[in-house]
Amino acid sequence: MDCAGVIGYGHMGRMLVKGFLSSGALSPGEVVVASRSRESRDACAAAWPEIDVAETNRELARRCRTIILAVRPQEIREVLREIVPVLDGDEHIVSLAAGVSLGDLEALYPGPVTRVIPTITSTVGQGTTLVCHGQRVGTDDARRVEEVFSSIGDVMPVREEDLAAATLLSSCGPGLLAAIIEELAGATARASGLPPDRALLLATEMVAGTAAYLRETGRVPGDLVGEVATGGGVTEVGVAVLRERLPGVFDGMVAAMLERCGAVGK
């Protein structure tokens, strides 16, 4: 992959730089980082002394063939207006911003643009990064971006019209699941003498084990329910309560989140 620039060194920028370099997908000489925060630039230089840290976004843009925008959605347009004047037009812009469409990006930059939605679980090399390429992205550019992001987990190309829904599962999902783990552990601790910290540990390990079981056996969740929830047993009672109450809860949650997706980045 040609020299890749990362504009923004917050949580997401740090995760990407660490993942790309630690996996060997990119060498230090192939990465340039820029951030408006002096503190962030110093932190990057301290963590990765062999990579280049640009003083300005424009300096990075002049040097990189692939430019990853790891800034907040509200900052995307400002950053593009800043760097586009120094671009040749064949640089590949990769935006991580939710709520900023390909059309929004292409209105500001006439070259190839791609939307990428990573997930926090990529910090540990797990999870799925969503990729949506604009019409001006060639086969080689698409392949290079997908290859480098595959170094931090799985990559799934999606249509832009499906991106919001897919983001709820891949990127928002870890936060939702963490809240469910917390609530399950808390309810168990409140109803018993089990210490809260042990309940949380058991719930966390249970979720990790369940995900591994489904992935490695190829079974679907309904299969697992059938294997665990024997007739008249404890699990069957719990599953029945969930089947009765959760559909409405989740339908409301997803509707609210999709509505919010439409407002992000505006």
Side-chain angles (χ1 to χ4, degrees), residues 194-217:
L194 191 64
D197 58 339
R198 292 211 169 192
L200 183 58
L201 176 61
L202 285 171
T204 302
E205 291 301 313
M206 175 274 296
V207 169
T210 300
Y213 179 85
L214 292 173
R215 175 182 290 178
E216 294 178 19
T217 64

Side-chain angles (χ1 to χ4, degrees), residues 171-189:
S171 185
C172 303
L176 303 177
L177 186 56
I180 292 171
I181 292 171
E182 190 173 48
E183 292 297 336
L184 177 59
T188 304

Side-chain angles (χ1 to χ4, degrees), residues 95-102 105 114-118 128-133 156-172 257-258 261:
S95 169
L96 308 188
V100 182
S101 71
L102 291 174
L105 298 169
T114 291
R115 294 183 63 188
V116 169
I117 307 294
T128 301
T129 295
L130 306 175
V131 177
C132 180
H133 299 294
M156 178 184 290
V158 297
R159 302 178 304 170
E160 188 166 35
E161 55 264 39
D162 297 328
L163 194 57
T167 297
L168 299 192
L169 296 173
S170 66
S171 185
C172 303
M257 293 176 72
L258 288 175
C261 281

Side-chain angles (χ1 to χ4, degrees), residues 242-255:
L242 294 179
R243 296 292 195 210
E244 177 185 356
R245 300 181 184 179
L246 280 187
V249 172
F250 282 132
D251 286 347
M253 176 193 73
V254 169

Side-chain angles (χ1 to χ4, degrees), residues 6 8 11 41 48 51-52 60 79 92 99-100 154 157 165 172 183 187 202 209 228 231 237 249 258 266:
V6 179
H11 175 78
R41 294 198 301 272
W48 308 101
I51 73 171
D52 288 333
L60 179 148
V79 171
H92 190 176
V100 182
D154 295 330
C172 303
E183 292 297 336
L202 285 171
V228 178
V237 172
V249 172
L258 288 175
K266 302 303 181 184

Side-chain angles (χ1 to χ4, degrees), residues 112-126:
V113 297
T114 291
R115 294 183 63 188
V116 169
I117 307 294
T119 173
I120 192 172
T121 58
S122 293
T123 304
V124 293
Q126 299 289 323

Side-chain angles (χ1 to χ4, degrees), residues 22-54:
S22 298
S23 67
L26 296 175
S27 67
E30 294 175 304
V31 179
V32 181
V33 171
S35 173
R36 291 182 177 177
S37 165
R38 180 70 190 186
E39 182 180 354
S40 294
R41 294 198 301 272
D42 290 345
C44 180
W48 308 101
E50 295 181 336
I51 73 171
D52 288 333
V53 179

